[in-house]
Amino acid sequence: MQDPQYKNAAWCDMFIAWAADKAGVGEYVGQFAWTPSHAVWFIKQGAWTRKPEPGALVFFDWRGGDSYKGVDHVGIVERVAGKKIHTIEANVDRVWLKRKVRETDKVVGYGLPRVVKANAELSEIRSSQQPFPLRERADPPAASPFDALGGPLALLAVIIVTTVVVSFRVAGRRAGHHRRLTGPWNAPTPPAPPEPAQPPSADPAAPRVPVGATPTRRHPYNPNP
C-alpha cells in the first residue's frame, strides 16, 4: 500500500509544477513530484530562506522537523500577517485547492522563485559579457611606406642613427668655419703705412707770377736808401 504522506507530497508538488508551467514560470519554480527533492533544488539554487514573503513556496514538516528530508507538504505564500502566513495549497483537507492560514511552527523553509530568476538573469549577463573573437579582415591592409622600417625597435634605431649622422655633419661645418681664421689668436696688429707728405700750401698773400716770367727777388725793406 502506498504511503499517504508520499501521495500527498506528490500531489501538492505536482499541482504547483502544473500551475507554474501554465503561468510560464516553471523554470523558476521547479518541476518536481517529490517535495524533499524540490526543497533541495531551491537550496542548491541559493534561493532558500527562513523568512516568509509573498510568492515564496513554503515547505512543511507536520512532525515539526527542521530538515528538508522531512518535508511532506508544500504550498504558495499569498501574504504574510504577523506570525501567520496565508497560503494556497493543493490536496489539503480533502479538497483539491484551498486557501489556508498557517502557523509557522511546522515550516521547514521557503523557496524563492524570484531569486532563482535573478540568478539566471545574472548568469546570462555574465555569459554575454565574454569577449568576442576578433574577426579577420577580408582585405589585407594597404601597403605603407613605414612597412620597410619594420617594427617599433627598427624604427627607433633608424631615428637614432639619423640623429647621430646629422650631429656629425653640423659639428664638421662648425670646425671648417674655425679653420678659415689664420694666425694665432693673440698676434699683434701690424702698424699702418705712413701717409705721403703733402706739398706746402701756397701763401695766399704772395703775388702771382705769370707763367714763363722770371720772378723778381724782393729785397728787404730799407728805410735809408
Side-chain angles (χ1 to χ4, degrees), residues 6-52:
Y6 173 83
K7 184 177 180 179
N8 175 68
W11 274 106
C12 64
D13 221 353
M14 289 173 63
F15 164 76
I16 290 178
W18 174 84
D21 182 68
K22 291 296 183 181
V25 293
E27 58 181 321
Y28 309 128
V29 175
Q31 302 290 312
F32 292 90
W34 177 237
T35 50
S37 299
H38 202 171
V40 171
W41 182 77
F42 277 108
I43 294 172
K44 290 182 178 180
Q45 295 287 330
W48 183 259
T49 183
R50 298 281 184 175
K51 184 178 179 180

Side-chain angles (χ1 to χ4, degrees), residues 160-175:
I160 293 174
V161 171
T162 304
T163 304
V164 172
V165 171
V166 171
S167 63
F168 273 115
R169 291 184 177 180
V170 173
R173 291 177 181 177
R174 291 179 179 176

Side-chain angles (χ1 to χ4, degrees), residues 71-87:
V71 170
D72 47 26
H73 188 67
V74 62
I76 301 173
V77 178
E78 187 175 18
R79 62 188 179 93
V80 181
K83 294 184 178 180
K84 294 184 179 182
I85 55 176
H86 294 247
T87 64

Side-chain angles (χ1 to χ4, degrees), residues 122-164:
L122 181 61
S123 299
E124 292 178 359
I125 293 174
R126 288 176 177 174
S127 62
S128 64
Q129 290 178 346
Q130 296 296 327
F132 294 98
L134 297 177
R135 296 181 179 179
E136 296 183 0
R137 299 182 58 174
D139 299 329
S144 172
F146 293 101
D147 294 342
L149 298 179
L153 294 179
L155 180 59
L156 179 61
V158 171
I159 295 174
I160 293 174
V161 171
T162 304
T163 304
V164 172

